[in-house]
């Protein structure tokens, strides 16, 4: 009989977790938020819209949204039915429209039309929870934070960094494994890996660069050639989620909302907009959601 391995010590866990982070940094040196934005307000709105849909779907929707409502003052004055029609492709559009108008009104009335740079202030805005707040703080204000979305929670549980399901508890346990300066980029790397290789239903274990460090190795396809066929986005030669990616991004930009991907990639273009991909946000209508 196979001898049971000894439980991993706290020191060993910290070392393994930090090594995984270093390995992911080499695999994804270009990791970044996959929502298109030009300022804090656009990132805040886009993150709220990302609840229960893909970042790609949001990126295909926000150009028209920000063309019509470029500032909090504009969005606060929106006619709900007109806003709902624009954001309809992202799903749960009525709940999201209420959140967007509510948070824009609060920005206008309570914060001088500016997105605040403190967690305590951000979470007072309608539809904004810790996940959304950490995305905004980490990516436009330089305040470190861990973003616990669907991908992040799935992977850190597979890696035995935590057994918690509650996002706030996951955040606390993962933060304790790393120096604060690592938190924001760690989030991007883990989410990148979850979207590209360590998928929810069929992880590409045989193509995973951190397989030797993963307690869950073998849950997915272990044959290297078969695993390669499961890779998504730039790892599989397909477009990423952004229509306007950073200059150093190695993949192709995603297609606009009305343009189908010519290669029929289920993770890009209109195919994904029709419902593919994995949700990144909370559940609209629940406390602190969407974007919780």
């Amino acid at each position: 009989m196979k001898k049971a391995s000894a439980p991993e010590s706290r020191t060993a866990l910290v070392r393994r977790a930090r090594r995984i982070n270093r390995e992911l940094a080499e695999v994804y040196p270009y990791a970044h938020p996959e929502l298109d934005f030009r300022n804090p307000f656009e990132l805040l709105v886009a993150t709220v819209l990302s609840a229960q849909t893909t970042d790609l779907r949001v990126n295909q929707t926000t150009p028209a949204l920000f063309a019509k409502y470029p500032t909090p003052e504009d969005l606060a004055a929106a006619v709900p039915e007109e806003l709902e029609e624009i954001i309809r492709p992202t799903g749960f559009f009525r709940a999201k429209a209420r959140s967007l108008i509510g948070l824009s009104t609060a920005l206008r009335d309570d914060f001088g039309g500016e997105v605040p740079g403190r967690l305590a202030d951000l979470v007072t805005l309608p539809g904004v929870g810790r996940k959304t707040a950490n995305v905004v703080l980490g990516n436009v204000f330089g305040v470190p934070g861990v973003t616990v979305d669907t991908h992040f929670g799935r992977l850190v549980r597979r890696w035995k960094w935590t057994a918690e399901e509650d996002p706030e508890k996951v955040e606390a346990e993962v933060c304790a494994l790393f120096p604060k300066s690592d938190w924001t980029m760690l989030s991007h790397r883990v989410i990148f890996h979850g979207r590209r290789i360590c998928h929810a239903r069929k992880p590409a274990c045989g193509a995973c660069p951190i397989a030797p460090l993963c307690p869950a190795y073998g849950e997915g396809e272990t044959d290297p050639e078969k695993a390669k066929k499961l890779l998504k986005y730039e790892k599989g030669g397909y477009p990423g989620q952004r229509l306007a990616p950073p200059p150093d991004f190695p993949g192709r930009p995603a297609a606009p909302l009305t343009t189908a991907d010519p290669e029929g990639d289920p993770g890009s273009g209109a195919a994904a907009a029709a419902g593919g991909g994995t949700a990144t946000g909370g559940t609209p209508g629940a406390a602190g959601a969407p974007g919780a």
Side-chain angles (χ1 to χ4, degrees), residues 197 199 202-208 220-231:
I197 295 177
H199 311 134
K202 199 168 186 181
C205 293
C208 181
E221 179 57 66
T222 58
D223 180 86
E225 292 304 315
K226 292 180 180 178
K228 285 180 183 178
K229 296 178 181 179
L230 300 174
L231 301 183

Side-chain angles (χ1 to χ4, degrees), residues 77-89:
V79 176
E81 292 77 15
E82 294 178 3
L83 174 59
E84 289 171 5
E85 193 58 33
I86 293 174
I87 66 172
R88 180 185 291 268

Side-chain angles (χ1 to χ4, degrees), residues 195-196 231-241 265 267-268 277:
R195 285 176 170 163
R196 286 151 178 78
L231 301 183
K232 294 183 179 180
Y233 306 124
E234 80 283 351
K235 293 299 179 186
Y238 299 118
Q241 299 223 344
D265 170 36
S268 64

Side-chain angles (χ1 to χ4, degrees), residues 10-288:
R10 176 70 180 182
T11 299
L13 170 61
V14 171
R15 287 175 177 169
R16 182 171 60 84
R18 294 186 181 187
R19 186 177 171 192
I20 287 175
N21 185 37
R22 291 195 299 270
E23 295 284 341
L24 292 180
E26 293 185 11
V27 177
Y28 308 108
Y30 47 84
H32 61 274
E34 293 193 90
L35 291 166
D36 286 328
F37 68 97
R38 296 169 296 184
N39 55 56
F41 175 63
E42 290 191 356
L43 180 57
L44 177 62
V45 169
T47 307
V48 170
L49 288 176
S50 72
Q52 299 297 305
T53 191
T54 61
D55 285 357
L56 169 62
R57 183 64 132 165
V58 174
N59 292 337
Q60 292 170 323
T61 303
T62 50
L65 176 66
F66 295 134
K68 188 173 179 65
Y69 309 110
T71 69
E73 291 80 4
D74 296 319
L75 194 49
V79 176
E81 292 77 15
E82 294 178 3
L83 174 59
E84 289 171 5
E85 193 58 33
I86 293 174
I87 66 172
R88 180 185 291 268
T90 68
F92 299 96
F93 55 91
R94 291 189 180 90
K96 291 179 181 180
R98 287 195 296 271
S99 291
L100 293 185
I101 292 174
L103 73 84
S104 297
T105 301
L107 292 177
R108 180 195 65 193
D109 296 347
D110 302 333
F111 297 100
E114 299 291 334
V115 176
R118 296 196 318 146
L119 178 68
D121 292 331
L122 283 167
V123 296
T124 67
L125 302 174
V128 177
R130 288 186 66 91
K131 181 187 82 74
T132 296
N134 280 331
V135 169
V136 173
L137 290 172
N139 292 291
V140 295
F141 291 107
V143 178
V146 164
T147 301
V148 183
D149 74 346
T150 302
H151 303 284
F152 191 95
R154 180 179 76 250
L155 268 61
V156 298
R157 283 186 288 272
R158 280 180 175 168
W159 297 337
K160 307 299 182 185
W161 292 2
T162 180
E164 297 290 348
E165 296 283 343
D166 177 77
E168 196 163 333
K169 292 179 180 179
V170 171
E171 179 186 340
E173 291 207 352
V174 172
C175 284
L177 298 174
F178 296 90
K180 195 171 184 179
S181 58
D182 286 351
W183 292 352
T184 298
M185 286 308 301
L186 170 72
S187 300
H188 292 324
R189 293 165 189 153
V190 173
I191 292 169
F192 256 59
H193 193 62
R195 285 176 170 163
R196 286 151 178 78
I197 295 177
C198 194
H199 311 134
R201 284 174 285 191
K202 199 168 186 181
C205 293
C208 181
I210 61 167
L213 301 169
C214 181
Y217 176 78
E219 288 186 8
E221 179 57 66
T222 58
D223 180 86
E225 292 304 315
K226 292 180 180 178
K228 285 180 183 178
K229 296 178 181 179
L230 300 174
L231 301 183
K232 294 183 179 180
Y233 306 124
E234 80 283 351
K235 293 299 179 186
Y238 299 118
Q241 299 223 344
R242 294 188 69 162
L243 277 67
D248 61 345
F249 183 69
R252 291 184 285 131
L257 184 63
T258 56
T259 304
D261 179 66
E263 297 183 24
D265 170 36
S268 64
T278 304
T280 60
T283 303

